[in-house]
C-alpha cells in the first residue's frame, strides 16, 4: 500500500512529466533534424533514369532494356493490345477493335493485304 501511495503522490505532483512520452521532450531536436533533411535532400544524388526512359539512347537499346524488365505475362498482354486487329484478323477471331480472341491465328494474307 505504501508503494501505491508514493506512486499516486508522484502523479499528483508531476502529472505532465509522468504522462509525456520521452520522444516529445525535445521538440527542438526533432525540428532541427527535419529541417536538416529537407535542406540536404536536393544535394542527394538523383536516381538515374532507367535506360528505357532515356531518350538520348538508341531506340534498340531502350526496347531491349524494357523487354528485359517485363514479365512474360506483360509481354503476352502487349501482343494482344493493338489497334486495328479488324484489318489483320477475320471478324470471327476478334473480340473488338483492339483485342483478338485468345485462340486467334494471324492471317498472313490479310496482313500483307493491309
Amino acid at each position: 500500500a505504501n508503494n501505491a501511495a508514493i506512486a499516486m503522490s508522484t502523479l499528483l505532483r508531476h502529472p505532465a512529466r509522468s504522462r509525456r512520452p520521452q520522444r516529445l521532450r525535445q521538440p527542438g531536436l526533432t525540428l532541427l533534424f527535419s529541417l536538416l533533411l529537407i535542406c540536404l535532400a536536393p544535394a542527394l544524388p538523383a536516381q538515374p533514369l532507367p535506360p528505357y526512359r532515356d531518350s538520348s539512347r538508341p531506340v534498340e537499346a531502350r526496347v531491349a532494356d524494357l523487354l528485359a524488365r517485363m514479365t512474360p505475362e506483360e509481354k503476352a498482354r502487349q501482343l494482344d493490345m493493338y489497334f486495328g486487329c479488324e484489318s489483320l484478323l477475320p471478324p470471327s477471331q476478334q473480340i473488338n477493335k483492339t483485342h483478338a480472341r485468345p485462340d486467334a491465328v494471324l492471317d498472313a494474307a490479310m496482313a500483307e493485304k493491309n
Side-chain angles (χ1 to χ4, degrees):
N2 194 19
N3 288 340
I6 292 172
M8 184 60 85
S9 171
T10 303
L11 281 175
L12 292 174
R13 279 184 284 160
H14 307 288
R17 182 183 298 171
S18 61
R19 286 187 228 139
R20 184 191 289 176
Q22 180 68 24
R23 69 182 191 283
L24 294 179
R25 289 189 183 173
Q26 297 177 346
L29 185 60
T30 303
L31 180 63
L32 178 65
F33 184 69
S34 298
L35 287 174
L36 183 65
L37 281 176
I38 291 170
C39 292
L40 291 179
L44 295 174
Q47 294 292 330
L49 281 176
Y52 76 92
R53 300 209 50 202
D54 184 356
S55 62
S56 67
R57 292 179 179 255
V59 172
E60 294 81 13
R62 295 175 69 191
V63 170
D65 178 65
L66 183 57
L67 288 175
R69 294 169 185 267
M70 292 173 71
T71 64
E73 292 81 12
E74 291 169 328
K75 292 174 186 175
R77 294 303 293 157
Q78 286 295 316
L79 292 173
D80 185 40
M81 299 194 61
Y82 52 89
F83 184 77
C85 74
E86 71 271 2
S87 63
L88 299 174
L89 297 169
S92 63
Q93 294 192 23
Q94 301 171 23
I95 294 174
N96 55 35
K97 287 177 24 174
T98 60
H99 289 82
R101 294 192 178 280
D103 58 346
V105 177
L106 180 66
D107 183 352
M110 278 185 88
E112 285 179 16
K113 180 176 137 185
N114 293 311

